[in-house]
Amino acid sequence: METPHGLSVEAFTRQSKLFEFLDDAGRQRMMRIATRQIYAAGQTVVTEGDPGDSFFVIAKGSVNVSVDDFGRQKRVATLGQGSFFGEIAVITDQPRSATVTAADALELLRFDKAPVQEILREYPRIRELLAKMGVRRSEDTLEKMMNDDPETTVEVGAKPQDPPPVDDE
Ligand code: CMP
């Protein structure tokens, strides 16, 4: 089968455990709509607050997931090979809940939202799984936002502090 990423069905299926929840027909449909994307370390894949038009599976490398915490980026997770992200916007139609950046050389399989939604309508089990994962991740993010662990706060794009007030007297 000619695909934009050149993977066989077997190689595609091995990219993520997620695809094991589909049958052959579902895997082939996902395969046909997948495109391969390459990012260098530090590049942004999705930005918190933007409309979400796609879903991703990590084929190689890893990503950092971070959220805005009063002007500082707070890292809430690192996801590696075989993990997926972008399911929240695809399932809920809400804007991106977090910023995702390449932690190192990154290769992704990208799936456009509309055809993914169409496929998921026919595979309610995997849709339910993604929806549950999205809820769990949103709760996890909220919990980490409330917990000021310096280990998870990264100074990426920090806003400069306001200068101290000038005393005229
Ligand atoms: P989405 O909101 O579409 O875009 C950002 C993605 O980051 C989000 O979907 C999830 O896939 C992922 N994400 C958000 N919060 C977390 C978290 N706490 N742990 C892991 N992944 C997360």
Coordinates of all heavy atoms in Angstrom, one line a residue, residues 46 54 65 76-77 79 84-90 94-100 137-138 140-141 144, ligand 1:
V46 N 2.7 21.8 19.4 CA 1.4 22.4 19.5 C 1.6 23.5 20.7 O 2.4 23.3 21.6 CB 0.2 21.5 19.8 CG1 0.1 20.4 18.8 CG2 0.4 20.8 21.2
S54 N -5.2 18.4 15.0 CA -4.5 17.1 14.7 C -4.2 16.3 16.0 O -4.3 16.9 17.1 CB -3.2 17.4 14.0 OG -2.6 18.5 14.6
V65 N 5.7 18.3 27.9 CA 4.3 18.9 27.9 C 4.4 19.9 29.0 O 4.8 19.6 30.1 CB 3.2 17.8 28.2 CG1 1.9 18.4 28.2 CG2 3.3 16.6 27.2
V76 N 4.6 19.5 32.9 CA 3.7 18.5 33.6 C 4.0 17.1 33.2 O 3.5 16.2 33.9 CB 2.2 18.9 33.4 CG1 1.9 20.2 34.1 CG2 1.8 18.9 31.9
A77 N 4.6 16.9 32.0 CA 4.9 15.5 31.6 C 6.0 15.4 30.5 O 6.2 16.4 29.9 CB 3.6 14.8 31.1
L79 N 6.7 12.7 27.4 CA 6.1 11.5 26.7 C 7.1 10.9 25.8 O 7.8 11.7 25.1 CB 4.8 11.8 26.0 CG 3.7 12.5 26.8 CD1 2.6 12.9 25.9 CD2 3.2 11.5 27.9
F84 N 1.0 8.9 22.7 CA 0.2 9.8 21.8 C -0.1 11.1 22.5 O 0.0 11.1 23.8 CB -1.0 9.1 21.3 CG -2.0 8.7 22.4 CD1 -2.8 9.6 23.0 CD2 -1.9 7.4 22.9 CE1 -3.7 9.2 24.1 CE2 -2.7 7.0 24.0 CZ -3.6 7.9 24.5
F85 N -0.4 12.1 21.8 CA -0.9 13.4 22.4 C -1.8 14.1 21.4 O -1.8 13.8 20.2 CB 0.3 14.3 22.9 CG 1.2 14.7 21.8 CD1 1.0 15.9 21.2 CD2 2.3 14.0 21.5 CE1 1.9 16.4 20.2 CE2 3.2 14.4 20.5 CZ 3.0 15.6 19.9
G86 N -2.5 15.1 21.9 CA -3.4 15.9 21.1 C -4.8 15.3 21.1 O -5.7 15.8 20.3
E87 N -5.0 14.3 21.9 CA -6.4 13.7 21.9 C -7.4 14.6 22.5 O -8.6 14.5 22.2 CB -6.3 12.3 22.7 CG -6.3 12.4 24.2 CD -4.9 12.8 24.8 OE1 -4.0 13.0 24.0 OE2 -4.9 13.1 26.0
I88 N -7.0 15.5 23.4 CA -8.0 16.3 24.1 C -8.8 17.2 23.1 O -10.0 17.2 23.1 CB -7.4 17.1 25.3 CG1 -6.8 16.1 26.3 CG2 -8.4 18.1 25.9 CD1 -6.1 16.8 27.5
A89 N -8.0 17.9 22.3 CA -8.6 18.8 21.3 C -9.4 18.0 20.3 O -10.5 18.5 19.9 CB -7.6 19.6 20.6
V90 N -9.0 16.8 19.9 CA -9.6 16.0 18.9 C -11.0 15.5 19.5 O -12.0 15.5 18.8 CB -8.7 14.9 18.4 CG1 -9.5 13.8 17.7 CG2 -7.7 15.5 17.5
Q94 N -12.0 21.4 22.1 CA -11.5 22.5 22.9 C -10.1 22.9 22.4 O -9.4 22.1 21.7 CB -11.4 22.2 24.4 CG -12.8 22.2 25.1 CD -12.7 21.6 26.4 OE1 -11.7 21.2 27.0 NE2 -13.9 21.4 27.0
P95 N -9.6 24.2 22.7 CA -8.3 24.5 22.3 C -7.2 23.7 23.0 O -7.6 23.0 24.0 CB -8.1 26.0 22.8 CG -9.5 26.4 23.2 CD -10.3 25.2 23.4
R96 N -6.0 23.7 22.5 CA -4.9 22.9 23.1 C -4.8 23.2 24.6 O -4.7 24.4 25.0 CB -3.6 23.2 22.4 CG -3.5 22.8 21.0 CD -3.6 21.3 20.8 NE -3.4 20.9 19.4 CZ -3.7 19.7 19.0 NH1 -4.4 18.8 19.7 NH2 -3.5 19.3 17.7
S97 N -4.8 22.1 25.4 CA -4.7 22.3 26.9 C -3.3 22.5 27.3 O -3.0 22.8 28.5 CB -5.3 21.1 27.5 OG -4.5 19.9 27.2
A98 N -2.3 22.3 26.5 CA -0.9 22.4 26.9 C 0.0 22.7 25.7 O -0.5 22.5 24.5 CB -0.4 21.1 27.6
T99 N 1.2 23.1 25.9 CA 2.2 23.3 24.9 C 3.1 22.0 24.8 O 3.5 21.5 25.9 CB 3.1 24.5 25.1 OG1 2.2 25.7 25.0 CG2 4.2 24.7 24.1
V100 N 3.3 21.5 23.6 CA 4.1 20.3 23.5 C 5.4 20.6 22.6 O 5.2 21.2 21.5 CB 3.3 19.2 22.8 CG1 4.2 17.9 22.7 CG2 2.1 18.8 23.7
R137 N -5.4 13.1 32.0 CA -4.3 14.0 31.8 C -4.7 15.4 32.3 O -3.9 16.1 32.9 CB -3.9 14.0 30.4 CG -3.1 12.8 30.0 CD -2.8 12.7 28.5 NE -1.8 11.7 28.3 CZ -1.4 11.4 27.0 NH1 -1.9 12.0 26.0 NH2 -0.4 10.6 26.8
S138 N -5.9 15.8 32.0 CA -6.4 17.2 32.4 C -6.3 17.3 34.0 O -5.9 18.3 34.5 CB -7.8 17.5 32.0 OG -7.8 17.4 30.6
D140 N -4.4 15.5 35.9 CA -3.0 15.5 36.3 C -2.4 16.8 36.2 O -1.7 17.3 37.1 CB -2.3 14.4 35.4 CG -0.8 14.4 35.7 OD1 -0.4 14.0 36.8 OD2 -0.1 14.7 34.7
T141 N -2.7 17.5 35.1 CA -2.2 18.9 34.8 C -2.6 19.8 35.9 O -1.8 20.6 36.5 CB -2.6 19.4 33.4 OG1 -2.1 18.5 32.5 CG2 -2.2 20.8 33.2
K144 N -0.8 19.2 39.1 CA 0.6 19.7 39.1 C 0.6 21.3 39.1 O 1.5 21.9 39.6 CB 1.3 19.2 37.9 CG 1.6 17.7 38.1 CD 2.2 17.0 36.9 CE 2.6 15.6 37.3 NZ 2.7 14.7 36.2
Ligands
CMP1 P1 -4.4 18.6 23.6 O1 -5.0 19.5 24.6 O2 -5.1 18.4 22.3 O3 -2.9 19.3 23.2 C1 -1.9 19.2 24.3 C2 -1.8 17.8 24.7 O4 -0.9 17.6 25.7 C3 -3.1 17.3 25.2 O5 -4.1 17.2 24.2 C4 -2.6 15.9 25.8 O6 -2.5 15.0 24.8 C5 -1.2 16.3 26.3 N1 -1.3 16.6 27.8 C6 -1.9 17.6 28.5 N2 -1.7 17.4 29.8 C7 -0.9 16.3 30.0 C8 -0.4 15.6 31.1 N3 -0.6 16.0 32.4 N4 0.3 14.4 30.9 C9 0.5 14.0 29.6 N5 0.0 14.6 28.5 C10 -0.7 15.7 28.7

